[in-house]
């Protein structure tokens, strides 16, 4: 079969790269489309995937609508040219194209309906198959959603798929036993980010002051970094960030994805934004496994107290690895399940209530 994977964010490259490799090993052809996002292209180049570049995304609402129509048209043409059977992604376009063509679409979505109303209305209903983590079970408007025991981040950070490379520490001049902290800040310009706040500059500087006595601080951000934070800016190849994360003492920021990445790696994480308490998979990582903590910006002082508490724990890493082990014991090798699902063009998983069904993806 011929598969198309559509990429709209650098994280999506990580989501689907192991899936693409597994499908190609089985003799299928996999094609990629990617929006004009430099980091996403660098990742695809690093992993050796050939891809078709779509125009750059727009920030304004009108621009987003116009560009979306253009993306749909381009991807429709790609599907014709490459004779695509199944299109895969966290993608608006593949859902739309599947409604006007023979192409079947499989959309992977881990966000709650109420935090992404446009996706809930204009994307998910049009997908042939909608796949989500079981943390969202029963919370979707779409009743035939396929739920699986895992998180998107386990598609590339499950122990079967990822082993951290300590060479990244040497590259940055960090000793193996040296404590260090990674911080990540978003710009909140996506369609679902209207009215959403993350950390203010004042709050970022307060966290830095709290961390300074305990170790090195490394900051990664989506776009331009504030001058006051420039001295802490992290410069590392994007494919190495997860290895670096695996060795970090604590992760702090206002990013959903990197918070979850830290959690599944067993790295303590603290997140502060208006989405706190509203993202089901992060709620599960917090309240079922104790791997992460979320705070709204107005509760920033509670975050600081939790950080101070964690910094005093002498066995912090050991404790979090135990929590991670519990989580991994209850979850699956997500890529293995995704590959089975798309290769067999499965529309419904009847056996999902039987625990024995999931053991083949452990």
């Amino acid at each position: 079969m011929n598969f198309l994977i559509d990429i709209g964010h650098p994280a999506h490259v990580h989501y689907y790269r192991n899936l693409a490799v597994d499908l190609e090993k089985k003799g299928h052809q996999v094609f990629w489309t990617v929006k004009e996002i430099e980091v996403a292209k660098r990742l695809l180049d690093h992993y050796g995937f050939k891809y078709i570049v779509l125009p750059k995304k727009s920030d304004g609402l009108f621009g987003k609508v116009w560009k979306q129509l253009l993306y749909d048209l381009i991807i429709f043409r790609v599907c014709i040219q490459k004779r695509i059977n199944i299109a895969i992604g966290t993608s608006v376009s593949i859902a739309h194209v599947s409604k006007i063509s023979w192409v079947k679409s499989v959309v992977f979505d881990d966000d709650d309906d109420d935090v992404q109303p446009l996706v809930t209305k204009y994307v998910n209903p049009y997908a042939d198959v909608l796949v989500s983590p079981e943390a969202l079970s029963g919370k979707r408007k779409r009743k035939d959603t396929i739920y699986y025991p895992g998180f998107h981040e386990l598609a590339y950070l499950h122990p079967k798929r990822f082993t951290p490379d300590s060479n990244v520490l040497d590259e940055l001049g960090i000793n193996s036993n040296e404590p260090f902290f990674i911080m990540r800040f978003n710009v909140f310009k996506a369609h679902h980010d209207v009215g959403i706040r993350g950390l203010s500059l004042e709050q970022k500087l307060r966290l830095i002051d709290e961390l300074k006595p305990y170790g090195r601080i490394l900051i990664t951000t989506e776009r331009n970094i504030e001058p006051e934070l420039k001295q802490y800016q992290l410069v590392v190849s994007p494919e190495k960030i997860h290895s670096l994360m695996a060795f970090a003492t604590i992760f702090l920021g206002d990013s959903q994805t990197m918070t979850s990445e830290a959690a599944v790696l067993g790295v303590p994480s603290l997140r502060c934004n208006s989405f706190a308490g509203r993202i089901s998979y992060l709620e599960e990582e917090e309240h079922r496994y104790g791997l992460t903590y979320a705070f709204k910006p107005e509760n920033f002082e509670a975050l600081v107290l939790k950080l101070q508490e964690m910094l005093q724990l002498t066995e912090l890493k050991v404790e979090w690895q135990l929590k991670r082990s519990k989580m991994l014991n209850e979850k699956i090798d997500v890529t293995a399940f995704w590959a089975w699902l798309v290769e067999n063009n499965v529309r419904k998983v009847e056996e999902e209530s039987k625990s024995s069904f999931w053991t083949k993806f452990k």
Side-chain angles (χ1 to χ4, degrees), residues 23-63:
L23 291 172
E24 288 174 341
K25 285 180 178 177
K26 295 179 179 180
H28 304 293
Q29 280 195 295
V30 179
F31 301 91
W32 297 76
T33 50
V34 60
K35 296 179 178 65
E36 182 60 63
I37 305 168
E38 194 59 36
V39 175
K41 292 192 298 179
R42 283 179 62 189
L43 286 168
L44 288 168
D45 288 336
H46 173 76
Y47 294 113
F49 298 119
K50 297 187 182 301
Y51 52 87
I52 298 166
V53 181
L54 279 59
K56 188 176 181 180
K57 293 193 289 187
S58 297
D59 286 335
L61 182 59
F62 177 78

Short mmCIF file of all heavy atoms in Angstrom, two decimals, residues 23-63:
data_model
loop_
_atom_site.label_atom_id
_atom_site.label_comp_id
_atom_site.label_asym_id
_atom_site.label_seq_id
_atom_site.Cartn_x
_atom_site.Cartn_y
_atom_site.Cartn_z
N LEU A 23 6.37 0.44 8.56
CA LEU A 23 5.59 0.19 7.35
C LEU A 23 6.49 -0.09 6.15
O LEU A 23 6.21 -0.99 5.34
CB LEU A 23 4.68 1.38 7.05
CG LEU A 23 3.52 1.60 8.04
CD1 LEU A 23 2.81 2.92 7.75
CD2 LEU A 23 2.53 0.44 8.00
N GLU A 24 7.58 0.66 6.05
CA GLU A 24 8.51 0.44 4.94
C GLU A 24 9.18 -0.93 5.03
O GLU A 24 9.43 -1.58 4.01
CB GLU A 24 9.55 1.55 4.90
CG GLU A 24 8.96 2.88 4.41
CD GLU A 24 9.95 4.03 4.50
OE1 GLU A 24 10.94 3.91 5.25
OE2 GLU A 24 9.73 5.05 3.81
N LYS A 25 9.47 -1.38 6.24
CA LYS A 25 10.07 -2.71 6.43
C LYS A 25 9.14 -3.81 5.94
O LYS A 25 9.59 -4.89 5.55
CB LYS A 25 10.42 -2.93 7.90
CG LYS A 25 11.65 -2.18 8.38
CD LYS A 25 11.91 -2.45 9.85
CE LYS A 25 13.17 -1.74 10.32
NZ LYS A 25 13.40 -1.94 11.78
N LYS A 26 7.85 -3.52 5.97
CA LYS A 26 6.86 -4.51 5.52
C LYS A 26 6.53 -4.37 4.04
O LYS A 26 5.61 -5.02 3.55
CB LYS A 26 5.59 -4.38 6.37
CG LYS A 26 5.82 -4.73 7.84
CD LYS A 26 4.55 -4.57 8.66
CE LYS A 26 4.79 -4.95 10.11
NZ LYS A 26 3.58 -4.80 10.95
N GLY A 27 7.28 -3.51 3.35
CA GLY A 27 7.13 -3.41 1.90
C GLY A 27 6.20 -2.32 1.41
O GLY A 27 5.97 -2.19 0.20
N HIS A 28 5.67 -1.51 2.31
CA HIS A 28 4.80 -0.42 1.90
C HIS A 28 5.63 0.81 1.51
O HIS A 28 6.77 0.97 1.95
CB HIS A 28 3.84 -0.05 3.04
CG HIS A 28 3.01 -1.20 3.52
ND1 HIS A 28 2.04 -1.79 2.74
CD2 HIS A 28 3.03 -1.88 4.71
CE1 HIS A 28 1.48 -2.78 3.44
NE2 HIS A 28 2.06 -2.85 4.62
N GLN A 29 5.03 1.70 0.74
CA GLN A 29 5.66 2.97 0.41
C GLN A 29 5.07 4.07 1.29
O GLN A 29 3.84 4.13 1.47
CB GLN A 29 5.45 3.33 -1.07
CG GLN A 29 6.40 2.61 -2.02
CD GLN A 29 6.39 3.26 -3.39
OE1 GLN A 29 5.38 3.25 -4.08
NE2 GLN A 29 7.52 3.82 -3.80
N VAL A 30 5.93 4.93 1.82
CA VAL A 30 5.48 6.02 2.68
C VAL A 30 5.98 7.34 2.10
O VAL A 30 7.17 7.51 1.84
CB VAL A 30 6.01 5.85 4.12
CG1 VAL A 30 5.53 7.02 5.00
CG2 VAL A 30 5.55 4.52 4.71
N PHE A 31 5.05 8.27 1.88
CA PHE A 31 5.37 9.60 1.40
C PHE A 31 5.05 10.61 2.50
O PHE A 31 4.17 10.39 3.33
CB PHE A 31 4.55 9.92 0.14
CG PHE A 31 4.79 8.95 -0.99
CD1 PHE A 31 4.00 7.82 -1.12
CD2 PHE A 31 5.80 9.17 -1.91
CE1 PHE A 31 4.21 6.91 -2.16
CE2 PHE A 31 6.04 8.26 -2.95
CZ PHE A 31 5.24 7.13 -3.07
N TRP A 32 5.78 11.72 2.49
CA TRP A 32 5.61 12.76 3.51
C TRP A 32 5.30 14.10 2.87
O TRP A 32 5.88 14.46 1.85
CB TRP A 32 6.90 12.93 4.33
CG TRP A 32 7.34 11.74 5.12
CD1 TRP A 32 7.96 10.60 4.64
CD2 TRP A 32 7.24 11.56 6.53
NE1 TRP A 32 8.24 9.74 5.67
CE2 TRP A 32 7.82 10.30 6.85
CE3 TRP A 32 6.75 12.34 7.59
CZ2 TRP A 32 7.89 9.81 8.15
CZ3 TRP A 32 6.82 11.85 8.88
CH2 TRP A 32 7.38 10.60 9.16
N THR A 33 4.39 14.85 3.51
CA THR A 33 4.22 16.27 3.21
C THR A 33 4.48 17.03 4.50
O THR A 33 4.13 16.56 5.59
CB THR A 33 2.81 16.59 2.68
OG1 THR A 33 1.82 16.03 3.57
CG2 THR A 33 2.61 16.05 1.29
N VAL A 34 5.08 18.20 4.39
CA VAL A 34 5.41 18.99 5.58
C VAL A 34 5.27 20.47 5.26
O VAL A 34 5.66 20.92 4.18
CB VAL A 34 6.83 18.67 6.09
CG1 VAL A 34 7.88 18.97 5.04
CG2 VAL A 34 7.14 19.41 7.39
N LYS A 35 4.70 21.21 6.19
CA LYS A 35 4.62 22.65 6.01
C LYS A 35 6.01 23.26 6.15
O LYS A 35 6.91 22.63 6.68
CB LYS A 35 3.64 23.24 7.01
CG LYS A 35 2.21 22.76 6.79
CD LYS A 35 1.24 23.32 7.80
CE LYS A 35 -0.17 22.84 7.48
NZ LYS A 35 -0.32 21.38 7.63
N GLU A 36 6.18 24.46 5.67
CA GLU A 36 7.49 25.13 5.67
C GLU A 36 7.88 25.48 7.11
O GLU A 36 7.72 26.62 7.57
CB GLU A 36 7.41 26.40 4.80
CG GLU A 36 8.73 27.16 4.68
CD GLU A 36 9.84 26.33 4.07
OE1 GLU A 36 9.73 25.92 2.90
OE2 GLU A 36 10.83 26.08 4.78
N ILE A 37 8.36 24.46 7.81
CA ILE A 37 8.78 24.60 9.21
C ILE A 37 10.21 24.08 9.28
O ILE A 37 10.45 22.88 9.07
CB ILE A 37 7.87 23.81 10.16
CG1 ILE A 37 6.41 24.22 9.98
CG2 ILE A 37 8.31 24.00 11.62
CD1 ILE A 37 5.43 23.30 10.67
N GLU A 38 11.15 24.94 9.55
CA GLU A 38 12.57 24.59 9.45
C GLU A 38 12.94 23.40 10.32
O GLU A 38 13.64 22.48 9.89
CB GLU A 38 13.44 25.80 9.79
CG GLU A 38 14.89 25.63 9.39
CD GLU A 38 15.08 25.38 7.90
OE1 GLU A 38 14.33 25.97 7.10
OE2 GLU A 38 15.96 24.58 7.55
N VAL A 39 12.49 23.40 11.58
CA VAL A 39 12.85 22.31 12.49
C VAL A 39 12.27 20.98 12.00
O VAL A 39 12.94 19.94 12.04
CB VAL A 39 12.39 22.60 13.92
CG1 VAL A 39 12.65 21.41 14.83
CG2 VAL A 39 13.11 23.84 14.47
N ALA A 40 11.04 21.01 11.52
CA ALA A 40 10.41 19.78 11.00
C ALA A 40 11.20 19.23 9.82
O ALA A 40 11.44 18.02 9.71
CB ALA A 40 8.96 20.04 10.62
N LYS A 41 11.62 20.11 8.93
CA LYS A 41 12.40 19.67 7.76
C LYS A 41 13.76 19.11 8.19
O LYS A 41 14.23 18.11 7.64
CB LYS A 41 12.58 20.83 6.78
CG LYS A 41 11.29 21.28 6.11
CD LYS A 41 11.54 22.22 4.95
CE LYS A 41 12.22 23.49 5.38
NZ LYS A 41 12.49 24.39 4.26
N ARG A 42 14.37 19.74 9.17
CA ARG A 42 15.67 19.26 9.65
C ARG A 42 15.53 17.86 10.25
O ARG A 42 16.40 16.99 10.06
CB ARG A 42 16.22 20.21 10.70
CG ARG A 42 16.81 21.50 10.12
CD ARG A 42 17.32 22.41 11.21
NE ARG A 42 18.40 21.80 11.99
CZ ARG A 42 18.90 22.33 13.09
NH1 ARG A 42 18.40 23.48 13.56
NH2 ARG A 42 19.89 21.74 13.74
N LEU A 43 14.45 17.63 10.95
CA LEU A 43 14.22 16.31 11.54
C LEU A 43 13.99 15.26 10.44
O LEU A 43 14.54 14.15 10.51
CB LEU A 43 13.04 16.34 12.50
CG LEU A 43 13.28 17.03 13.85
CD1 LEU A 43 11.97 17.26 14.59
CD2 LEU A 43 14.23 16.20 14.72
N LEU A 44 13.19 15.60 9.46
CA LEU A 44 12.95 14.66 8.35
C LEU A 44 14.24 14.35 7.60
O LEU A 44 14.50 13.20 7.23
CB LEU A 44 11.90 15.23 7.41
CG LEU A 44 10.46 15.26 7.95
CD1 LEU A 44 9.57 16.12 7.06
CD2 LEU A 44 9.90 13.85 8.05
N ASP A 45 15.06 15.38 7.40
CA ASP A 45 16.36 15.16 6.76
C ASP A 45 17.23 14.24 7.61
O ASP A 45 17.89 13.33 7.08
CB ASP A 45 17.08 16.50 6.56
CG ASP A 45 16.45 17.35 5.46
OD1 ASP A 45 15.79 16.78 4.57
OD2 ASP A 45 16.63 18.59 5.50
N HIS A 46 17.25 14.49 8.91
CA HIS A 46 18.09 13.69 9.81
C HIS A 46 17.71 12.22 9.75
O HIS A 46 18.59 11.34 9.75
CB HIS A 46 17.97 14.21 11.24
CG HIS A 46 18.66 13.34 12.25
ND1 HIS A 46 20.02 13.33 12.42
CD2 HIS A 46 18.16 12.40 13.12
CE1 HIS A 46 20.35 12.47 13.36
NE2 HIS A 46 19.25 11.89 13.79
N TYR A 47 16.41 11.95 9.70
CA TYR A 47 15.96 10.55 9.70
C TYR A 47 15.90 9.95 8.30
O TYR A 47 15.50 8.79 8.13
CB TYR A 47 14.60 10.44 10.40
CG TYR A 47 14.69 10.76 11.88
CD1 TYR A 47 14.09 11.89 12.42
CD2 TYR A 47 15.42 9.93 12.74
CE1 TYR A 47 14.19 12.18 13.78
CE2 TYR A 47 15.53 10.22 14.10
CZ TYR A 47 14.92 11.35 14.60
OH TYR A 47 15.02 11.64 15.94
N GLY A 48 16.29 10.73 7.30
CA GLY A 48 16.42 10.19 5.95
C GLY A 48 15.13 10.06 5.17
O GLY A 48 15.07 9.29 4.20
N PHE A 49 14.12 10.84 5.52
CA PHE A 49 12.85 10.79 4.80
C PHE A 49 12.80 11.86 3.72
O PHE A 49 13.17 13.01 3.95
CB PHE A 49 11.67 11.00 5.76
CG PHE A 49 11.55 9.94 6.83
CD1 PHE A 49 11.64 10.29 8.17
CD2 PHE A 49 11.34 8.61 6.50
CE1 PHE A 49 11.52 9.33 9.17
CE2 PHE A 49 11.22 7.64 7.49
CZ PHE A 49 11.32 8.00 8.82
N LYS A 50 12.32 11.49 2.55
CA LYS A 50 12.09 12.46 1.48
C LYS A 50 10.68 13.02 1.64
O LYS A 50 9.76 12.30 2.03
CB LYS A 50 12.27 11.80 0.11
CG LYS A 50 13.69 11.28 -0.13
CD LYS A 50 13.85 10.78 -1.54
CE LYS A 50 15.25 10.22 -1.77
NZ LYS A 50 16.30 11.22 -1.51
N TYR A 51 10.50 14.30 1.31
CA TYR A 51 9.23 14.95 1.61
C TYR A 51 8.91 16.04 0.60
O TYR A 51 9.78 16.54 -0.11
CB TYR A 51 9.24 15.54 3.02
CG TYR A 51 10.44 16.42 3.30
CD1 TYR A 51 10.41 17.79 3.00
CD2 TYR A 51 11.61 15.90 3.86
CE1 TYR A 51 11.51 18.60 3.25
CE2 TYR A 51 12.72 16.70 4.11
CZ TYR A 51 12.66 18.06 3.80
OH TYR A 51 13.75 18.85 4.04
N ILE A 52 7.64 16.41 0.57
CA ILE A 52 7.15 17.50 -0.26
C ILE A 52 6.82 18.66 0.68
O ILE A 52 6.12 18.49 1.67
CB ILE A 52 5.88 17.07 -1.04
CG1 ILE A 52 6.23 15.91 -1.98
CG2 ILE A 52 5.28 18.24 -1.80
CD1 ILE A 52 5.02 15.19 -2.53
N VAL A 53 7.34 19.84 0.35
CA VAL A 53 7.16 21.00 1.23
C VAL A 53 5.93 21.80 0.83
O VAL A 53 5.74 22.15 -0.33
CB VAL A 53 8.40 21.92 1.19
CG1 VAL A 53 8.20 23.12 2.13
CG2 VAL A 53 9.65 21.14 1.59
N LEU A 54 5.08 22.08 1.82
CA LEU A 54 3.91 22.92 1.65
C LEU A 54 4.24 24.35 2.10
O LEU A 54 5.21 24.55 2.83
CB LEU A 54 2.73 22.39 2.47
CG LEU A 54 1.93 21.22 1.89
CD1 LEU A 54 2.79 20.01 1.62
CD2 LEU A 54 0.78 20.86 2.82
N PRO A 55 3.45 25.35 1.68
CA PRO A 55 3.74 26.74 2.07
C PRO A 55 3.74 26.93 3.58
O PRO A 55 3.15 26.14 4.34
CB PRO A 55 2.61 27.54 1.42
CG PRO A 55 2.15 26.69 0.28
CD PRO A 55 2.31 25.27 0.75
N LYS A 56 4.37 27.99 4.02
CA LYS A 56 4.48 28.32 5.44
C LYS A 56 3.11 28.61 6.04
O LYS A 56 2.22 29.15 5.38
CB LYS A 56 5.39 29.56 5.61
CG LYS A 56 5.74 29.90 7.04
CD LYS A 56 6.72 31.07 7.08
CE LYS A 56 7.10 31.41 8.52
NZ LYS A 56 8.06 32.54 8.56
N LYS A 57 2.93 28.26 7.31
CA LYS A 57 1.68 28.52 8.01
C LYS A 57 1.51 30.01 8.27
O LYS A 57 2.47 30.75 8.34
CB LYS A 57 1.63 27.75 9.34
CG LYS A 57 1.58 26.25 9.19
CD LYS A 57 1.22 25.56 10.48
CE LYS A 57 2.30 25.62 11.51
NZ LYS A 57 1.99 24.81 12.72
N SER A 58 0.25 30.43 8.45
CA SER A 58 -0.06 31.82 8.79
C SER A 58 -0.48 31.92 10.25
O SER A 58 -1.01 30.96 10.83
CB SER A 58 -1.20 32.35 7.91
OG SER A 58 -0.82 32.37 6.55
N ASP A 59 -0.27 33.09 10.85
CA ASP A 59 -0.69 33.31 12.23
C ASP A 59 -2.11 33.85 12.32
O ASP A 59 -2.87 33.49 13.21
CB ASP A 59 0.27 34.29 12.93
CG ASP A 59 1.62 33.64 13.26
OD1 ASP A 59 1.65 32.40 13.38
OD2 ASP A 59 2.60 34.37 13.38
N GLY A 60 -2.50 34.73 11.40
CA GLY A 60 -3.83 35.33 11.44
C GLY A 60 -4.93 34.36 11.05
O GLY A 60 -4.71 33.41 10.29
N LEU A 61 -6.15 34.60 11.56
CA LEU A 61 -7.27 33.69 11.31
C LEU A 61 -7.62 33.61 9.82
O LEU A 61 -7.80 32.52 9.28
CB LEU A 61 -8.50 34.13 12.12
CG LEU A 61 -9.73 33.23 11.99
CD1 LEU A 61 -9.41 31.81 12.45
CD2 LEU A 61 -10.90 33.80 12.80
N PHE A 62 -7.70 34.76 9.14
CA PHE A 62 -8.01 34.74 7.71
C PHE A 62 -6.94 33.99 6.93
O PHE A 62 -7.23 33.19 6.05
CB PHE A 62 -8.15 36.17 7.17
CG PHE A 62 -8.41 36.22 5.69
CD1 PHE A 62 -9.68 35.96 5.18
CD2 PHE A 62 -7.38 36.51 4.80
CE1 PHE A 62 -9.91 35.99 3.81
CE2 PHE A 62 -7.61 36.54 3.43
CZ PHE A 62 -8.88 36.28 2.94
N GLY A 63 -5.68 34.26 7.30
CA GLY A 63 -4.58 33.58 6.63
C GLY A 63 -4.62 32.08 6.85
O GLY A 63 -4.32 31.30 5.94
#
